[in-house]
Amino acid sequence: MRGTRKYRHIIDTPDPGKWELAGYEESLPISEKSNPITREMDKADPNTLVQLLRDCDAEIFQEEDETIINYQRLYSESILKTVAEIAKKVQLIIENPEDGLIVLSGCGTSGRLALLLANSFNRLMKGLHQSPCYTYIIAGGDRSVVAAQEAPEDNPARGQEELKRVCEGKKKVVFIGISCSLSAPFIAGQLDFCMKNLDVFLPVLVGFNPVSMARNDRIEGWNSTFRQVAEQMQNLHDSQRAFVLNPAVGPEGLCGSSRMKGGSATKILLETLFLVAHKASSKVEVTEKCLLEILRTYERAHKVTYSQSKKIAALVKQSATSLQKKGHLYLLGWGTLGLVGIMDAVECAPSYNADWRDVRGFINGGYHTLENQEGALTSLGPQFTISHEDFVKSVLPSVSETDTIVFLFTMDDEVTEVEKLVELVKEKTSNIHAICHATAGQYLPNSTKKMIPNPIVITWPILFLEYEGAFIQKFQRELSSKWILDTVTSGAHVLKGKVYRNFIVDFAICNSKHFQRAVSVLQRLSGHPETRCTETLLQSIYGEQTEQMRNTEMSQHIRAAMSRDKEID
Ligand code: S6P
């Protein structure tokens, strides 16, 4: 499939990666390959770290190279065509919201993004006096939004139950199952259910591997693999009864960390799709040009964001210093930027085996601003306290000079509120940073500049757009903040020593994907065969090896690995 070639890039995308060549880590899907760009990442200084991750993020926008293996990319005609086709189906629901529903579902970061996107587009609809018709599902329920729960993603039956629950009584449902690595059994179960009920459901699978690279191992308690489900979906693609939307965006900068590029690409792809669907419902024709215009704004956001690389590097360094000294990184955000902060913070625990207290996110207005379905979860314990008031009450008293605080806001937020909180924090630590988004012509007040000496201020051009288009500005700011925070939290853990080359070597094994990744990392680092590496891993989980353990179900290994980690804590 050819690239569009109608497109002039705004950013310099790196040369097509070696990862695209036949034979490069052949047995692994793109999402689990190690990115050649970051091979020496563990030796990089903060400035280099930022450059490397910038180049990895730029790969999202890279076009296909016809001289080597052709993966579909974001700008491929086939992808743009699929986006336009799905948008038309979404449009039908938007125009008949009483009987219809658009469900976004995912696990971990993909589930948090499902919430963010569903809420954004419901807000867009409310502004147009239309009935909101988006909803989200996250594996493990709302508690997974603010605390990592990686185990529920292994449960396809649970995925189905949740889907049935949210769709009860609906006549037409567009179901968007997000699994960046085309691997989550929770999503496989839901897609399978949709395909058995095509009179109601239109299933869409979103991810960043070709179907031939979807996970193919047995799902416990289930009769098909993710790949089999994805293949069935693909067979229904031509008749438009199901869609697979899966451009390649290249391997993650940190091996397997799909919260990074996978998460960003999910946001770009789905926001573009829903935006054109809404434009279409206000009688604007969905054309390739219109899609390219929106995608171009995201590419511009990459350039604008990384023009601040020096300041981002300084924040990476400061955050790493805090973590190395057993201090903390606190991300205090306003509006949806608060959720972006929470998303980044929560993932540090499973990704780097970090303590949940190491990196934490807080949002003004807490659960009210989060707009999650289950409402306040504060009673579940300290891990679930997320408002700025909670921060002031229960965290601030113990904040010290070893901690770093990052404020995340836009100039349209109440800057005096930000100043009030900075004032309080200043009494405890001088390590105060900010990521602030402004529109051309808006300036940070001198009073704020005095309090936060070196803020990352990102100034966006004024866009004169119709109502739906105006949401692009908000989406750009969220993505820009995500890129910066992904770089800061990943970079800080690299500098803390959690990474060897670009392999995370200290991560929690909380689900079957993690187990397989651990085996694969062992294989690549030791050169030993899979069976031997599996045995080594089992030995480290159980402390001894018996025949019985080898024949035990995967879920038992995960439980044992998780309880072992708890003991070590
Ligand atoms: C990855 C992150 C995980 C994933 C989750 C879903 O960096 O730690 O929480 O988001 O496992 O992955 P996927 O591939 O199904 O979207």
Side-chain angles (χ1 to χ4, degrees):
M1 199 62 67
R2 289 178 165 239
T4 62
R5 301 284 169 233
K6 289 173 198 158
Y7 193 76
R8 273 190 45 234
H9 282 287
I10 294 164
I11 50 169
D12 291 331
T13 53
D15 290 334
K18 197 175 144 203
W19 61 267
E20 291 189 67
L21 298 173
Y24 182 81
E25 299 188 339
E26 209 165 13
S27 61
L28 295 169
I30 299 173
S31 60
E32 293 288 332
K33 290 187 198 291
S34 64
N35 197 317
I37 297 177
T38 49
R39 190 175 300 128
E40 309 250 313
M41 190 177 206
D42 55 342
K43 298 187 196 77
D45 61 25
N47 283 309
T48 315
L49 270 173
V50 176
Q51 277 169 31
L52 296 176
L53 292 177
R54 176 200 64 192
D55 289 349
C56 283
D57 284 332
E59 283 183 322
I60 295 174
F61 303 99
Q62 204 168 46
E63 289 185 62
E64 338 164 346
D65 186 318
E66 291 158 24
T67 59
I68 48 180
I69 292 182
N70 287 327
Y71 291 119
Q72 305 183 91
R73 307 300 294 256
L74 189 64
Y75 290 127
S76 297
E77 274 171 15
S78 57
I79 292 295
L80 298 177
K81 185 168 165 273
T82 305
V83 171
E85 285 166 352
I86 303 167
K88 286 193 188 122
K89 307 282 184 190
V90 168
Q91 181 192 348
L92 296 177
I93 308 273
I94 295 170
E95 290 169 358
N96 301 287
E98 288 72 31
D99 292 336
L101 193 64
I102 301 157
V103 181
L104 291 99
S105 178
C107 313
T109 296
S110 300
R112 292 177 201 108
L113 283 165
L115 174 146
L116 177 68
L117 268 68
N119 287 351
S120 292
F121 285 92
N122 280 341
R123 215 169 295 131
L124 184 149
M125 294 188 84
K126 282 183 205 155
L128 292 168
H129 307 292
Q130 294 171 340
S131 310
C133 62
Y134 290 85
T135 194
Y136 69 89
I137 298 174
I138 177 165
D142 276 358
R143 57 172 63 208
S144 304
V145 176
V146 291
Q149 320 272 328
E150 301 277 318
E153 81 176 56
D154 276 344
N155 194 335
R158 197 61 208 267
Q160 293 198 343
E161 280 163 30
E162 281 295 294
L163 181 59
K164 281 186 221 165
R165 184 183 61 79
V166 302
C167 296
E168 213 178 330
K170 294 292 173 188
K171 295 200 175 87
K172 279 286 160 213
V173 176
V174 172
F175 171 77
I176 316 260
I178 311 163
S179 182
C180 298
S181 46
L182 260 57
S183 75
F186 187 87
I187 300 297
Q190 294 177 326
L191 293 170
D192 186 70
F193 177 77
C194 292
M195 283 192 285
K196 291 192 171 112
N197 295 281
L198 288 172
D199 51 328
V200 174
F201 290 91
L202 173 80
V204 178
L205 166 60
V206 175
F208 305 98
N209 284 320
V211 166
S212 60
M213 291 182 176
R215 192 165 156 196
N216 205 28
D217 58 323
R218 185 183 149 260
I219 297 175
E220 207 175 303
W222 196 249
N223 46 14
S224 45
T225 67
F226 197 106
R227 189 179 302 169
Q228 287 166 337
V229 171
E231 281 167 352
Q232 281 175 44
M233 295 272 302
Q234 205 163 39
N235 291 338
L236 294 170
H237 194 118
D238 287 344
S239 58
Q240 298 204 358
R241 286 183 299 157
F243 291 97
V244 181
L245 190 53
N246 57 340
V249 294
E252 297 290 345
L254 282 153
C255 217
S257 188
S258 63
R259 74 188 185 109
M260 299 174 76
K261 282 164 79 169
S264 304
T266 300
K267 188 163 156 42
I268 294 169
L269 202 54
L270 289 179
E271 285 169 354
T272 304
L273 191 160
F274 296 139
L275 273 174
V276 293
H278 283 274
K279 274 170 181 271
S281 74
S282 28
K283 308 287 169 265
V284 178
E285 203 195 335
V286 179
T287 58
E288 192 177 273
K289 183 169 166 275
C290 156
L291 284 171
L292 284 173
E293 262 170 24
I294 299 177
L295 291 173
R296 196 182 170 84
T297 63
Y298 288 103
E299 205 179 321
R300 193 179 296 123
H302 179 280
K303 187 170 180 157
V304 172
T305 303
Y306 283 103
S307 67
Q308 302 287 325
S309 286
K310 273 217 169 97
K311 285 187 175 175
I312 301 173
L315 183 52
V316 169
K317 192 172 173 201
Q318 174 56 50
S319 307
T321 306
S322 284
L323 296 185
Q324 277 156 351
K325 290 183 179 164
K326 301 212 179 310
H328 309 88
L329 172 63
Y330 297 117
L331 311 171
L332 306 183
W334 270 258
T336 51
L337 299 187
L339 173 55
V340 173
I342 289 174
M343 241 192 279
D344 244 279
V346 168
E347 280 299 337
C348 291
S351 302
Y352 299 102
N353 213 3
D355 188 281
W356 65 269
R357 284 161 283 235
D358 288 358
V359 185
R360 289 187 70 183
F362 295 88
I363 180 169
N364 72 314
Y367 289 96
H368 180 71
T369 309
L370 197 63
E371 294 186 289
N372 59 313
Q373 287 158 1
E374 293 170 34
L377 303 175
T378 321
S379 60
L380 293 177
Q383 205 172 347
F384 296 87
T385 55
I386 57 164
S387 72
H388 291 176
E389 286 75 17
D390 293 327
F391 171 79
V392 171
K393 203 168 115 208
S394 52
V395 180
L396 191 60
S398 56
V399 167
S400 74
E401 204 49 47
T402 50
D403 300 327
T404 298
I405 321 279
V406 182
F407 290 84
L408 288 153
F409 58 99
T410 78
M411 291 290 295
D412 302 323
D413 292 311
E414 280 296 333
V415 179
T416 48
E417 292 292 313
V418 180
E419 286 188 359
K420 271 190 213 156
L421 200 49
V422 176
E423 200 64 61
L424 291 175
V425 170
K426 249 176 65 182
E427 288 171 22
K428 299 285 190 170
T429 177
S430 57
N431 299 318
I432 296 174
H433 294 256
I435 301 168
C436 167
H437 298 276
T439 309
Q442 282 183 324
Y443 298 97
L444 207 55
N446 282 335
S447 49
T448 321
K449 276 197 226 154
K450 269 191 207 143
M451 295 170 134
I452 310 171
N454 212 7
I456 301 173
V457 181
I458 306 196
T459 306
W460 300 90
I462 301 173
L463 294 178
F464 296 101
L465 294 164
E466 75 293 2
Y467 176 75
E468 291 90 350
F471 275 75
I472 291 179
Q473 288 181 326
K474 177 174 129 50
F475 297 155
Q476 282 185 336
R477 291 164 189 212
E478 289 165 359
L479 181 62
S480 170
S481 305
K482 178 181 183 297
W483 270 325
I484 296 174
L485 293 180
D486 285 352
T487 298
V488 168
T489 53
S490 307
H493 283 97
V494 172
L495 293 170
K496 198 184 170 190
K498 295 276 185 170
V499 168
Y500 174 67
R501 293 191 208 144
N502 51 8
F503 298 111
I504 306 174
V505 284
D506 184 6
F507 59 89
I509 296 180
C510 314
N511 58 36
S512 54
K513 181 172 74 175
H514 294 154
F515 185 92
Q516 285 172 334
R517 183 176 301 150
V519 172
S520 156
V521 171
L522 281 174
Q523 268 182 277
R524 280 180 278 178
L525 296 181
S526 69
H528 291 146
E530 187 183 339
T531 40
R532 179 153 170 205
C533 293
T534 307
E535 300 222 336
T536 308
L537 184 61
L538 288 176
Q539 198 147 15
S540 82
I541 291 174
Y542 293 105
E544 54 175 330
Q545 262 284 13
T546 66
E547 192 56 39
Q548 198 192 350
M549 274 156 208
R550 261 178 242 143
N551 300 325
T552 307
E553 288 281 21
M554 175 66 79
S555 55
Q556 172 54 32
H557 299 329
I558 308 299
R559 274 195 297 276
M562 287 170 72
S563 64
R564 183 210 59 167
D565 276 351
K566 265 198 200 106
E567 276 164 29
I568 292 169
D569 280 355

